[in-house]
Amino acid sequence: MKISARNDLKGTIKSINFGPISASLVVEIAPGIEIASVITKESAEHLELAPGKEVHAIVKASSVMIGVD
Amino acid sequence: MKISARNDLKGTIKSINFGPISASLVVEIAPGIEIASVITKESAEHLELAPGKEVHAIVKASSVMIGVD
Amino acid sequence: MKISARNDLKGTIKSINFGPISASLVVEIAPGIEIASVITKESAEHLELAPGKEVHAIVKASSVMIGVD
Amino acid sequence: MKISARNDLKGTIKSINFGPISASLVVEIAPGIEIASVITKESAEHLELAPGKEVHAIVKASSVMIGVD
Amino acid sequence: MKISARNDLKGTIKSINFGPISASLVVEIAPGIEIASVITKESAEHLELAPGKEVHAIVKASSVMIGVD
Amino acid sequence: MKISARNDLKGTIKSINFGPISASLVVEIAPGIEIASVITKESAEHLELAPGKEVHAIVKASSVMIGVD
C-alpha cells in the first residue's frame, strides 16, 4: 500500500518500551538521526516491533512544525 | 525555548510553495533525506522562510506512525 | 507495508477538490458512511486520486476523539 | 454543540482498557467496521465510557490519510 | 454532545480568512489571549463562522506540546 | 528558537501525573483558563516539569477545532 503521508523514513528500531496502553520507540533513520514515536501497545505487538527490526517512521506533512533559531 | 516535542531535525529548506492559507515546504535533514511540512502561510511569512534557510523540522512523538514491510 | 495506525477503512472516493496546497476528499466506507480527508495536493496527484478510485482512509488512534450525547 | 471536525461516526463501544494516563477503546460504527481511539483516562471516566455505550467517534479531516493498494 | 477533547476554550471570532480548501481563523478566548485555528472551508461555511460569533476552540490534550524558556 | 506553531500560551503548571510512557499535565494560562496536555514521560522528565513551573502550551493551528453551541 502506498500512503498519502509524505514523510516515510526508513530506519532501525533502537529501543522500545511498553506501557499498559502505549508503546514508545526510537528509530534510527541515519547515523545520529533518530525519530521518537508513540503508538498503541496493541499495534506494536501486532507488528512484532523489537530492537533491530527495520521499519518506516511515517509522518503526515501537516504534523510537522518548523522552528527557526 | 526547549520544547517537549521529541523530534527536532535540523536541516535546510529546499523548496517552499505558498497558497492563500497554507504553505508547503521541503526540508533536507541529511543527504537524500527530506521532510515535508505544511504550516500556515502566516507562520511561514512571520518566520521569513525561504529556500536555503536553516530550520528545524519538529514533530511530536505521538504524530509518528510505524510501518513494516 | 503494514502500518501501526489502527484505523484502516476501505472505501471509494466520492469527490475530490484541489487547492494550490491541499486537496479535500470524501471517501464512502459503507452505504451512507463517509470519511472526509485533507491531504497535500502533491500526495493526491502522486497517488492519482480521483472519484471512483478504491482507497483506504487511515487514522491513528490518538487522533480519534469520543463524543457522548 | 456542533463541531468543525467533519467526521462524526456514531457507534457503540465494544471494549475499553484503562492505563494510568490513557484509555484505549474500540467503537463499532457499522457491522464489522470498528474505530480505535486513545483518549485520556480522565476523559473516559468523565464521560463514563463503558462497553455498550453509544458514542460518536470524531476525527478532524486533516488527521485522515489516504492509502492506495 | 460532550466531547473527550479536554480543552474547550470559549471565545469570539476576531478574524477569518477563506482559501479554496481551508479556512484560517483567530478566536479571542480572554483579553489579549488568542487561539489560531485552521479547519476546512466547508466546515467554516457549514457552521456559518464569521467575525464576532461566539465559538469554542477545542483541542485534544495529545496535540498540546510544552515549551520551557 | 521561534516555532511555526501559532498558539503559544504562557502559563503555570497546576498538576502533573506520570505513567510509564506518558505524562498528563494541566497548565493555567489565565485565571480559570486551563490547558490539558499529554506528552511523553521522557520529555516531561527532560524538561523537569513540576507544579508551579512556568511553561508554554504550544498547539499547531491545524490541531484546533471549532465548536458552535
Side-chain angles (χ1 to χ4, degrees):
Chain A
M1 184 172 69
K2 292 193 293 182
I3 193 167
S4 61
R6 286 180 52 202
N7 299 297
D8 179 343
L9 304 162
K10 293 185 188 179
T12 303
I13 296 176
K14 276 195 62 176
S15 62
I16 185 164
N17 290 296
F18 291 87
I21 302 293
S22 304
S24 170
L25 61 158
V26 174
V27 178
E28 188 175 59
I29 59 169
I33 304 182
E34 297 177 355
I35 302 278
S37 166
V38 173
I39 61 176
T40 60
K41 183 189 70 165
E42 190 164 324
S43 284
E45 291 173 345
H46 181 64
L47 296 177
E48 300 180 348
L49 301 184
K53 186 157 187 164
E54 295 190 359
V55 296
H56 302 248
I58 296 167
V59 183
K60 200 171 189 301
S62 58
S63 296
V64 180
M65 290 158 285
I66 301 294
V68 173
D69 287 319
Chain B
M1 184 172 71
K2 293 192 293 181
I3 193 166
S4 62
R6 287 182 52 201
N7 299 297
D8 179 343
L9 304 163
K10 293 185 186 177
T12 303
I13 296 176
K14 278 194 62 176
S15 63
I16 184 164
N17 290 295
F18 291 88
I21 301 294
S22 304
S24 171
L25 61 157
V26 174
V27 177
E28 188 175 59
I29 59 168
I33 303 183
E34 297 177 357
I35 302 278
S37 167
V38 173
I39 61 177
T40 61
K41 182 189 68 164
E42 191 165 322
S43 284
E45 290 173 346
H46 181 65
L47 295 177
E48 301 180 346
L49 301 184
K53 186 158 187 162
E54 294 189 2
V55 296
H56 302 247
I58 296 167
V59 183
K60 199 172 191 299
S62 58
S63 296
V64 180
M65 290 159 284
I66 300 295
V68 173
D69 287 319
Chain C
M1 185 172 69
K2 292 192 292 182
I3 194 166
S4 61
R6 287 182 50 202
N7 299 297
D8 179 344
L9 304 162
K10 293 185 187 179
T12 304
I13 296 175
K14 277 194 64 174
S15 62
I16 184 164
N17 290 295
F18 291 88
I21 302 294
S22 303
S24 171
L25 61 158
V26 174
V27 178
E28 188 175 60
I29 59 169
I33 304 183
E34 296 176 357
I35 302 279
S37 167
V38 173
I39 62 176
T40 61
K41 182 189 70 164
E42 191 165 322
S43 283
E45 291 174 346
H46 181 65
L47 295 178
E48 300 181 345
L49 301 184
K53 186 158 186 160
E54 294 188 2
V55 296
H56 302 249
I58 296 166
V59 183
K60 200 172 189 298
S62 57
S63 296
V64 180
M65 289 158 287
I66 300 296
V68 173
D69 286 320
Chain D
M1 185 171 70
K2 291 192 294 182
I3 193 165
S4 62
R6 287 180 52 200
N7 299 298
D8 179 343
L9 304 162
K10 293 185 188 177
T12 303
I13 296 175
K14 277 194 62 176
S15 62
I16 184 163
N17 290 295
F18 291 88
I21 302 293
S22 304
S24 170
L25 60 160
V26 173
V27 178
E28 188 175 60
I29 60 169
I33 304 183
E34 296 176 356
I35 301 279
S37 167
V38 173
I39 62 176
T40 60
K41 183 189 68 165
E42 192 165 321
S43 283
E45 290 173 345
H46 181 65
L47 296 176
E48 301 179 348
L49 302 183
K53 187 158 186 161
E54 294 190 1
V55 296
H56 302 248
I58 296 167
V59 184
K60 201 173 189 297
S62 58
S63 297
V64 180
M65 291 159 285
I66 300 295
V68 173
D69 286 319
Chain E
M1 184 172 69
K2 292 192 293 181
I3 193 167
S4 61
R6 287 181 50 201
N7 299 297
D8 179 343
L9 304 162
K10 293 185 186 178
T12 304
I13 296 175
K14 278 194 64 175
S15 63
I16 184 164
N17 290 295
F18 291 87
I21 302 294
S22 303
S24 170
L25 62 156
V26 173
V27 177
E28 188 175 58
I29 60 168
I33 304 183
E34 297 176 356
I35 301 279
S37 168
V38 172
I39 61 176
T40 61
K41 183 189 68 163
E42 190 165 323
S43 283
E45 290 174 347
H46 181 65
L47 296 177
E48 300 180 346
L49 301 184
K53 185 157 188 161
E54 294 189 2
V55 296
H56 302 248
I58 296 167
V59 183
K60 200 171 189 299
S62 58
S63 296
V64 179
M65 290 159 285
I66 300 295
V68 173
D69 287 319
Chain F
M1 184 171 71
K2 292 193 293 183
I3 193 165
S4 61
R6 286 179 55 201
N7 299 297
D8 180 343
L9 305 162
K10 292 184 189 179
T12 304
I13 296 175
K14 277 193 62 176
S15 62
I16 184 164
N17 290 295
F18 291 87
I21 302 293
S22 304
S24 170
L25 60 158
V26 173
V27 178
E28 188 176 57
I29 59 168
I33 304 183
E34 297 176 357
I35 301 279
S37 166
V38 172
I39 62 176
T40 60
K41 183 190 68 164
E42 190 164 322
S43 283
E45 290 173 346
H46 181 64
L47 296 176
E48 299 179 347
L49 302 184
K53 186 158 188 162
E54 294 188 3
V55 296
H56 302 248
I58 296 167
V59 183
K60 200 172 189 299
S62 57
S63 296
V64 180
M65 290 158 285
I66 300 295
V68 173
D69 285 321

